[in-house]
PDB file of all heavy atoms in Angstrom:
ATOM      1  N   LEU A1096     113.172 170.009   6.213  1.00  0.00           N
ATOM      2  CA  LEU A1096     114.133 171.066   5.908  1.00  0.00           C
ATOM      3  C   LEU A1096     114.958 170.715   4.677  1.00  0.00           C
ATOM      4  O   LEU A1096     115.351 171.603   3.903  1.00  0.00           O
ATOM      5  CB  LEU A1096     115.056 171.297   7.110  1.00  0.00           C
ATOM      6  CG  LEU A1096     114.386 171.891   8.352  1.00  0.00           C
ATOM      7  CD1 LEU A1096     115.339 171.839   9.537  1.00  0.00           C
ATOM      8  CD2 LEU A1096     113.937 173.322   8.096  1.00  0.00           C
ATOM      9  N   LEU A1097     115.218 169.438   4.478  1.00  0.00           N
ATOM     10  CA  LEU A1097     115.967 168.991   3.306  1.00  0.00           C
ATOM     11  C   LEU A1097     115.106 169.032   2.050  1.00  0.00           C
ATOM     12  O   LEU A1097     115.496 169.587   1.019  1.00  0.00           O
ATOM     13  CB  LEU A1097     116.476 167.558   3.527  1.00  0.00           C
ATOM     14  CG  LEU A1097     117.401 167.322   4.717  1.00  0.00           C
ATOM     15  CD1 LEU A1097     117.631 165.832   4.914  1.00  0.00           C
ATOM     16  CD2 LEU A1097     118.722 168.040   4.512  1.00  0.00           C
ATOM     17  N   VAL A1098     113.914 168.446   2.138  1.00  0.00           N
ATOM     18  CA  VAL A1098     113.042 168.344   0.975  1.00  0.00           C
ATOM     19  C   VAL A1098     112.583 169.722   0.513  1.00  0.00           C
ATOM     20  O   VAL A1098     112.337 169.939  -0.677  1.00  0.00           O
ATOM     21  CB  VAL A1098     111.833 167.430   1.288  1.00  0.00           C
ATOM     22  CG1 VAL A1098     110.858 167.377   0.114  1.00  0.00           C
ATOM     23  CG2 VAL A1098     112.314 166.015   1.611  1.00  0.00           C
ATOM     24  N   ARG A1099     112.499 170.664   1.416  1.00  0.00           N
ATOM     25  CA  ARG A1099     112.133 172.040   1.054  1.00  0.00           C
ATOM     26  C   ARG A1099     112.968 172.548  -0.114  1.00  0.00           C
ATOM     27  O   ARG A1099     112.438 173.050  -1.123  1.00  0.00           O
ATOM     28  CB  ARG A1099     112.334 172.939   2.275  1.00  0.00           C
ATOM     29  CG  ARG A1099     112.170 174.421   2.024  1.00  0.00           C
ATOM     30  CD  ARG A1099     112.751 175.222   3.182  1.00  0.00           C
ATOM     31  NE  ARG A1099     114.194 175.023   3.285  1.00  0.00           N
ATOM     32  CZ  ARG A1099     114.934 175.427   4.332  1.00  0.00           C
ATOM     33  NH1 ARG A1099     114.358 176.015   5.363  1.00  0.00           N
ATOM     34  NH2 ARG A1099     116.230 175.220   4.348  1.00  0.00           N
ATOM     35  N   ASP A1100     114.276 172.414   0.005  1.00  0.00           N
ATOM     36  CA  ASP A1100     115.161 172.942  -1.037  1.00  0.00           C
ATOM     37  C   ASP A1100     115.091 172.096  -2.306  1.00  0.00           C
ATOM     38  O   ASP A1100     115.162 172.629  -3.418  1.00  0.00           O
ATOM     39  CB  ASP A1100     116.591 172.998  -0.516  1.00  0.00           C
ATOM     40  CG  ASP A1100     116.742 173.935   0.679  1.00  0.00           C
ATOM     41  OD1 ASP A1100     115.905 174.852   0.819  1.00  0.00           O
ATOM     42  OD2 ASP A1100     117.680 173.740   1.475  1.00  0.00           O
ATOM     43  N   TRP A1101     114.934 170.780  -2.149  1.00  0.00           N
ATOM     44  CA  TRP A1101     114.840 169.917  -3.327  1.00  0.00           C
ATOM     45  C   TRP A1101     113.551 170.178  -4.097  1.00  0.00           C
ATOM     46  O   TRP A1101     113.527 170.117  -5.329  1.00  0.00           O
ATOM     47  CB  TRP A1101     114.942 168.453  -2.918  1.00  0.00           C
ATOM     48  CG  TRP A1101     116.173 168.127  -2.123  1.00  0.00           C
ATOM     49  CD1 TRP A1101     117.353 168.804  -2.125  1.00  0.00           C
ATOM     50  CD2 TRP A1101     116.332 167.058  -1.194  1.00  0.00           C
ATOM     51  NE1 TRP A1101     118.245 168.216  -1.256  1.00  0.00           N
ATOM     52  CE2 TRP A1101     117.647 167.145  -0.668  1.00  0.00           C
ATOM     53  CE3 TRP A1101     115.497 166.035  -0.744  1.00  0.00           C
ATOM     54  CZ2 TRP A1101     118.137 166.237   0.260  1.00  0.00           C
ATOM     55  CZ3 TRP A1101     115.990 165.122   0.184  1.00  0.00           C
ATOM     56  CH2 TRP A1101     117.300 165.223   0.685  1.00  0.00           C
ATOM     57  N   ALA A1102     112.477 170.461  -3.377  1.00  0.00           N
ATOM     58  CA  ALA A1102     111.195 170.749  -4.028  1.00  0.00           C
ATOM     59  C   ALA A1102     111.307 172.018  -4.869  1.00  0.00           C
ATOM     60  O   ALA A1102     110.817 172.068  -6.011  1.00  0.00           O
ATOM     61  CB  ALA A1102     110.095 170.908  -2.982  1.00  0.00           C
ATOM     62  N   ASP A1103     111.941 173.043  -4.330  1.00  0.00           N
ATOM     63  CA  ASP A1103     112.127 174.283  -5.085  1.00  0.00           C
ATOM     64  C   ASP A1103     112.979 174.038  -6.326  1.00  0.00           C
ATOM     65  O   ASP A1103     112.706 174.576  -7.402  1.00  0.00           O
ATOM     66  CB  ASP A1103     112.788 175.339  -4.208  1.00  0.00           C
ATOM     67  CG  ASP A1103     111.847 175.908  -3.149  1.00  0.00           C
ATOM     68  OD1 ASP A1103     110.640 175.595  -3.196  1.00  0.00           O
ATOM     69  OD2 ASP A1103     112.322 176.645  -2.277  1.00  0.00           O
ATOM     70  N   GLU A1104     114.005 173.226  -6.156  1.00  0.00           N
ATOM     71  CA  GLU A1104     114.902 172.936  -7.280  1.00  0.00           C
ATOM     72  C   GLU A1104     114.170 172.166  -8.382  1.00  0.00           C
ATOM     73  O   GLU A1104     114.333 172.452  -9.575  1.00  0.00           O
ATOM     74  CB  GLU A1104     116.089 172.117  -6.767  1.00  0.00           C
ATOM     75  CG  GLU A1104     117.094 171.710  -7.812  1.00  0.00           C
ATOM     76  CD  GLU A1104     118.187 170.834  -7.225  1.00  0.00           C
ATOM     77  OE1 GLU A1104     118.630 171.109  -6.092  1.00  0.00           O
ATOM     78  OE2 GLU A1104     118.577 169.855  -7.892  1.00  0.00           O
ATOM     79  N   ALA A1105     113.331 171.187  -7.985  1.00  0.00           N
ATOM     80  CA  ALA A1105     112.614 170.363  -8.956  1.00  0.00           C
ATOM     81  C   ALA A1105     111.343 171.025  -9.465  1.00  0.00           C
ATOM     82  O   ALA A1105     110.762 170.580 -10.451  1.00  0.00           O
ATOM     83  CB  ALA A1105     112.266 169.011  -8.325  1.00  0.00           C
ATOM     84  N   ARG A1106     110.879 172.080  -8.765  1.00  0.00           N
ATOM     85  CA  ARG A1106     109.634 172.790  -9.090  1.00  0.00           C
ATOM     86  C   ARG A1106     108.435 171.833  -9.051  1.00  0.00           C
ATOM     87  O   ARG A1106     107.556 171.848  -9.905  1.00  0.00           O
ATOM     88  CB  ARG A1106     109.752 173.490 -10.448  1.00  0.00           C
ATOM     89  CG  ARG A1106     110.810 174.593 -10.438  1.00  0.00           C
ATOM     90  CD  ARG A1106     110.933 175.298 -11.782  1.00  0.00           C
ATOM     91  NE  ARG A1106     109.728 176.049 -12.135  1.00  0.00           N
ATOM     92  CZ  ARG A1106     109.415 177.220 -11.627  1.00  0.00           C
ATOM     93  NH1 ARG A1106     110.192 177.799 -10.715  1.00  0.00           N
ATOM     94  NH2 ARG A1106     108.322 177.859 -12.026  1.00  0.00           N
ATOM     95  N   VAL A1107     108.451 171.000  -8.009  1.00  0.00           N
ATOM     96  CA  VAL A1107     107.348 170.080  -7.736  1.00  0.00           C
ATOM     97  C   VAL A1107     106.795 170.426  -6.353  1.00  0.00           C
ATOM     98  O   VAL A1107     107.528 170.375  -5.365  1.00  0.00           O
ATOM     99  CB  VAL A1107     107.811 168.608  -7.753  1.00  0.00           C
ATOM    100  CG1 VAL A1107     106.685 167.683  -7.303  1.00  0.00           C
ATOM    101  CG2 VAL A1107     108.284 168.223  -9.144  1.00  0.00           C
ATOM    102  N   PRO A1108     105.523 170.799  -6.249  1.00  0.00           N
ATOM    103  CA  PRO A1108     104.979 171.160  -4.938  1.00  0.00           C
ATOM    104  C   PRO A1108     104.890 169.960  -4.002  1.00  0.00           C
ATOM    105  O   PRO A1108     104.571 168.851  -4.429  1.00  0.00           O
ATOM    106  CB  PRO A1108     103.585 171.703  -5.274  1.00  0.00           C
ATOM    107  CG  PRO A1108     103.231 171.066  -6.567  1.00  0.00           C
ATOM    108  CD  PRO A1108     104.519 170.903  -7.320  1.00  0.00           C
ATOM    109  N   CYS A1109     105.198 170.197  -2.742  1.00  0.00           N
ATOM    110  CA  CYS A1109     105.100 169.176  -1.698  1.00  0.00           C
ATOM    111  C   CYS A1109     104.251 169.742  -0.558  1.00  0.00           C
ATOM    112  O   CYS A1109     104.260 170.955  -0.314  1.00  0.00           O
ATOM    113  CB  CYS A1109     106.472 168.809  -1.147  1.00  0.00           C
ATOM    114  SG  CYS A1109     107.619 168.117  -2.346  1.00  0.00           S
ATOM    115  N   ILE A1110     103.547 168.867   0.133  1.00  0.00           N
ATOM    116  CA  ILE A1110     102.843 169.256   1.360  1.00  0.00           C
ATOM    117  C   ILE A1110     103.389 168.388   2.481  1.00  0.00           C
ATOM    118  O   ILE A1110     103.085 167.190   2.560  1.00  0.00           O
ATOM    119  CB  ILE A1110     101.321 169.077   1.245  1.00  0.00           C
ATOM    120  CG1 ILE A1110     100.759 169.862   0.067  1.00  0.00           C
ATOM    121  CG2 ILE A1110     100.652 169.527   2.548  1.00  0.00           C
ATOM    122  CD1 ILE A1110      99.261 169.707  -0.113  1.00  0.00           C
ATOM    123  N   ASN A1111     104.266 168.965   3.302  1.00  0.00           N
ATOM    124  CA  ASN A1111     104.784 168.192   4.437  1.00  0.00           C
ATOM    125  C   ASN A1111     103.832 168.335   5.611  1.00  0.00           C
ATOM    126  O   ASN A1111     103.032 169.267   5.682  1.00  0.00           O
ATOM    127  CB  ASN A1111     106.207 168.631   4.790  1.00  0.00           C
ATOM    128  CG  ASN A1111     106.267 169.944   5.548  1.00  0.00           C
ATOM    129  OD1 ASN A1111     105.919 170.012   6.731  1.00  0.00           O
ATOM    130  ND2 ASN A1111     106.703 171.018   4.892  1.00  0.00           N
ATOM    131  N   TYR A1112     103.889 167.377   6.533  1.00  0.00           N
ATOM    132  CA  TYR A1112     103.036 167.435   7.716  1.00  0.00           C
ATOM    133  C   TYR A1112     103.882 167.321   8.974  1.00  0.00           C
ATOM    134  O   TYR A1112     103.650 166.530   9.872  1.00  0.00           O
ATOM    135  CB  TYR A1112     101.918 166.383   7.666  1.00  0.00           C
ATOM    136  CG  TYR A1112     102.336 164.966   7.317  1.00  0.00           C
ATOM    137  CD1 TYR A1112     102.408 163.968   8.285  1.00  0.00           C
ATOM    138  CD2 TYR A1112     102.613 164.612   5.999  1.00  0.00           C
ATOM    139  CE1 TYR A1112     102.767 162.670   7.964  1.00  0.00           C
ATOM    140  CE2 TYR A1112     102.969 163.310   5.666  1.00  0.00           C
ATOM    141  CZ  TYR A1112     103.050 162.351   6.650  1.00  0.00           C
ATOM    142  OH  TYR A1112     103.409 161.058   6.319  1.00  0.00           O
ATOM    143  N   THR A1113     104.906 168.173   9.020  1.00  0.00           N
ATOM    144  CA  THR A1113     105.809 168.267  10.158  1.00  0.00           C
ATOM    145  C   THR A1113     105.325 169.345  11.122  1.00  0.00           C
ATOM    146  O   THR A1113     104.290 169.961  10.919  1.00  0.00           O
ATOM    147  CB  THR A1113     107.224 168.642   9.677  1.00  0.00           C
ATOM    148  OG1 THR A1113     107.230 170.026   9.277  1.00  0.00           O
ATOM    149  CG2 THR A1113     107.662 167.793   8.496  1.00  0.00           C
ATOM    150  N   GLY A1114     106.138 169.618  12.141  1.00  0.00           N
ATOM    151  CA  GLY A1114     105.837 170.709  13.051  1.00  0.00           C
ATOM    152  C   GLY A1114     106.660 171.951  12.781  1.00  0.00           C
ATOM    153  O   GLY A1114     106.532 172.932  13.499  1.00  0.00           O
TER     154      GLY A1114
END
Side-chain angles (χ1 to χ4, degrees):
L1096 292 170
L1097 300 171
V1098 176
R1099 173 195 64 191
D1100 298 336
W1101 305 336
D1103 287 352
E1104 179 183 320
R1106 295 180 66 78
V1107 173
C1109 299
I1110 303 179
N1111 77 73
Y1112 49 105
T1113 73

